[in-house]
Amino acid sequence: MVMCARYDVVIVGGGHNGLVAAAYLGRAGHSVLVLEQAATAGGAAVSAQLFAGIDIRVSRYSYLVSLLPDRIVDDLGVRFRTRKRRISSYTPAGDTGLLVDNSSRAATRESFARITGSDREFAAWERFSAMTGEVARAVFPTLTEPLPTRDELRKRVGARQWAALFERPLGETIEEYFADDLVRGVVFTDALIGTFTHAHDPSLAQNRCFLYHVIGGGTGDWDVPVGGMGALTDALLACARSAGVEVLTGAEVVGVDTDGTTAQVRFVTDGAVSAAVDARYVLANAAPAELARLLGEPADTEPEGAQLKINMVLDRLPRLRDTGTDPQDAFAGTFHIAESYEQLDRAYREAATGRLPAAPPSEIYCHTLTDPSISGPDAPDTRHTLTLFGLHTPARLFADDPQAKNEIAVAATLAQLNTVLAEPVQDCLARDAHGAPCLDAATPVDLQRTLRLPGGHIFHGDLSFPYRSGPAETPAQRWGVDTAHRNILRCGAGTVRGGGVSGIGGHNAAMAVLEETAAQRPGNAR
Ligand SMILES: Cc1cc2nc3c(=O)[nH]c(=O)nc-3n(C[C@H](O)[C@H](O)[C@H](O)COP(=O)(O)OP(=O)(O)OC[C@H]3O[C@@H](n4cnc5c(N)ncnc54)[C@H](O)[C@@H]3O)c2cc1C
């Protein structure tokens, strides 16, 4: 129930970024209304009990946390924590595999030597990690500050590191550091999550994606959200509500009008009842292309997502072809399938010509090995979740017959997974209350429909380098959240430092509003 017809701030979309912005602004004394089209808040940061009779709350879309700054958690008093993974990654190689063990440098070194035949690649791995660590420590703290210029950021990062990650195609840097095809692939996958590109793309889309995957928390670690990703949304919702924010779900915004000072937001509830509210500021947690549609303006870009997400619940973890590695280790970290450098390149080229890759690359990981709290108390000890994120499956592959193409992509991806297992993963799937296997898959086309992600792009559009490329005349421009309209700001993944579960887009939009409203108070005029 909307309590009044005018708010200081109306937020379009109740994703985690919208909730972060709402909480900051509510705490600062602004009246805030959040309008969310889905039945629940959280956007892509939600958990769900996906399978009838199976008491496990699966992180339905996003599943690991790296980019959420402690500063936001502390400022808002968010009751949420993450847990470190014992294993960083496992990559099968024939009847053996490369295990990167966070708890043992010696074991990791031995694994590299076994797979690559010498100590060379492990030494390169350590040098490369040290370099990305330096970049992480320089860049991450800037993400919650006004945007630095390119020159300011380059000075902070250092010339050598800047050249390696910001200036030339990442493929050149990876090929300079590493010689082994498998190791190159393990490194390069971070450049492809949610980004359809290749190692030598001159647009540097791969470098931008890679950057956000190695700087989180100043370490680049990807941690497990305790209680699942929905626990973060629940905690943010509690913060926003306790700050006096009104959150209306089942409320689809259908239009936004503005004269630059006051905006009107039109929405429908439950697909039927129309309403409108006025606002001094509108923050768009929805993607920039969706905001353009609401304003009746052409979109700057038409994003295209390229991933396949498969959630599974298993009665037991499958046995591996590699009998020397315990499945409890292999699945505890990121488990790479068909992700050697050469395989990733071939899959990209096949998908770019409109074909599903013959060997679909993907990565999987098991949440319950690190955090069993998402399972109900009666779940058998052997029951586990398996989260699969498939690469190089752009929306265009599913356009003509989304359901049939979804099934074909799932079958091909599981068949590829089975090449490294000693038994088909299908034999390990739990059955729901109706006897159906516990497997749920979403293509970019599905995400466009359910989450309003344009083209199914998980970051609302390709990521940007975290520096300013335009003017800095308004607070919104300084924080990287501006639009063509002074009182309409971006506040989600589509902001300059947005993308991922970070809250940074929401934080930065709130800071821009607070800076502008503080400047407008009597006695504070510039
Ligand atoms: C399958 C998948 C896996 C991912 N894995 C990870 C991961 O492991 N780690 C990570 O950090 N990131 C991951 N991401 C990315 C991350 O989830 C997103 O970047 C992040 O959720 C963006 O948050 P947001 O609040 O900006 O936007 P969203 O989560 O997209 O929320 C936007 C909200 O706006 C609402 N909305 C849109 N249009 C309207 C409208 N007209 N009216 C009302 N409401 C509207 C939507 O319903 C949605 O709730 C993943 C994303 C996906 C899809």
Side-chain angles (χ1 to χ4, degrees), residues 12-19 35-38 40-45 60-67 193 222 229 251-254 285-287 290 293-294 307-309 389 442 447 450-453 456-460 491-494 498-502:
V12 181
H16 85 286
N17 269 312
L19 298 175
L35 297 169
E36 167 55 48
Q37 57 92 22
T40 52
R60 183 160 200 178
Y61 306 109
S62 51
Y63 48 99
L64 288 170
V65 177
S66 176
L67 290 157
I193 303 295
W222 285 86
M229 203 56 94
E252 179 192 359
V253 175
V254 292
N285 179 206
E290 171 75 353
R293 192 181 68 79
L294 298 176
Q307 72 295 320
L308 175 70
K309 172 86 196 278
F389 192 94
L447 298 183
T450 51
L451 293 177
R452 299 291 172 90
L453 296 176
H457 199 304
I458 71 168
F459 302 132
H460 295 186
C491 92
V501 176
S502 70

Side-chain angles (χ1 to χ4, degrees), residues 23-375:
Y24 272 103
L25 293 167
R27 287 162 71 100
H30 290 287
S31 58
V32 183
L33 172 67
V34 176
L35 297 169
E36 167 55 48
Q37 57 92 22
T40 52
V46 289
S47 297
Q49 188 189 329
L50 287 178
F51 309 109
I54 303 287
D55 188 8
I56 295 192
R57 285 176 55 76
V58 175
S59 299
R60 183 160 200 178
Y61 306 109
S62 51
Y63 48 99
L64 288 170
V65 177
S66 176
L67 290 157
L68 177 68
D70 288 344
R71 176 171 178 170
I72 294 177
V73 174
D74 296 344
D75 282 355
L76 298 177
V78 187
R79 294 171 68 86
F80 168 75
R81 63 197 173 88
T82 57
R83 194 169 289 161
K84 296 270 169 223
R85 296 188 297 174
R86 193 168 46 83
I87 301 295
S88 174
S89 71
Y90 169 74
T91 309
D95 290 336
T96 177
L98 176 65
L99 191 72
V100 180
D101 184 338
N102 288 330
S103 61
S104 171
R105 180 173 178 268
T108 302
R109 178 185 189 158
E110 206 180 293
S111 188
F112 267 86
R114 200 176 49 247
I115 299 297
T116 66
S118 77
D119 269 344
R120 185 199 177 282
E121 292 299 278
F122 181 66
W125 177 272
E126 291 207 315
R127 271 191 303 120
F128 189 78
S129 304
M131 185 270 287
T132 60
E134 284 162 18
V135 174
R137 287 188 292 281
V139 174
F140 193 66
T142 70
L143 301 186
T144 43
E145 299 291 336
L147 277 169
T149 61
R150 185 183 157 91
D151 277 353
E152 285 164 352
L153 195 66
R154 184 170 41 206
K155 278 200 195 92
R156 284 185 73 119
V157 165
R160 186 177 50 89
Q161 299 85 335
W162 185 269
L165 298 186
F166 289 75
E167 294 226 303
R168 57 180 184 164
L170 184 64
E172 292 180 18
T173 300
I174 289 181
E175 289 161 27
E176 203 172 274
Y177 271 84
F178 302 101
D180 185 88
D181 185 53
L182 194 83
V183 177
R184 284 179 173 179
V186 171
V187 174
F188 187 55
T189 54
D190 275 337
L192 299 177
I193 303 295
T195 305
F196 187 52
T197 183
H198 62 98
H200 295 276
D201 184 344
S203 80
L204 305 188
Q206 72 282 35
N207 294 48
R208 288 176 264 138
C209 179
F210 184 79
L211 185 70
Y212 285 91
H213 280 86
V214 297
I215 59 173
T219 62
D221 289 350
W222 285 86
D223 301 332
V224 176
V226 174
M229 203 56 94
L232 174 61
T233 286
D234 291 347
L236 289 171
L237 204 48
C239 289
R241 289 210 164 111
S242 72
V245 171
E246 290 174 51
V247 180
L248 199 60
T249 55
E252 179 192 359
V253 175
V254 292
V256 177
D257 300 304
T258 181
D259 61 9
T261 306
T262 301
Q264 187 177 65
V265 179
R266 287 174 278 115
F267 63 99
V268 292
T269 48
D270 302 324
V273 184
S274 299
V277 284
D278 290 340
R280 171 74 187 89
Y281 292 96
V282 173
L283 303 190
N285 179 206
E290 171 75 353
L291 174 64
R293 192 181 68 79
L294 298 176
L295 287 162
E297 296 172 350
D300 288 345
T301 55
E302 291 297 339
E304 185 186 33
Q307 72 295 320
L308 175 70
K309 172 86 196 278
I310 307 180
N311 292 308
M312 292 173 263
V313 176
L314 308 178
D315 277 334
R316 61 189 156 81
L317 291 174
R319 285 178 287 114
L320 305 176
R321 254 181 76 186
D322 169 6
T323 49
T325 304
D326 185 338
Q328 302 240 350
D329 289 339
F331 288 103
T334 299
F335 185 134
H336 298 279
I337 318 225
E339 290 190 333
S340 79
Y341 199 57
E342 196 270 330
Q343 284 173 311
L344 287 168
D345 191 58
R346 192 167 343 122
Y348 171 78
R349 285 175 206 292
E350 287 167 347
T353 57
R355 281 178 292 143
L356 182 70
S362 70
E363 37 201 77
I364 50 182
Y365 117 95
C366 171
H367 181 111
T368 42
L369 282 171
T370 305
D371 168 39
S373 77
I374 61 168
S375 300

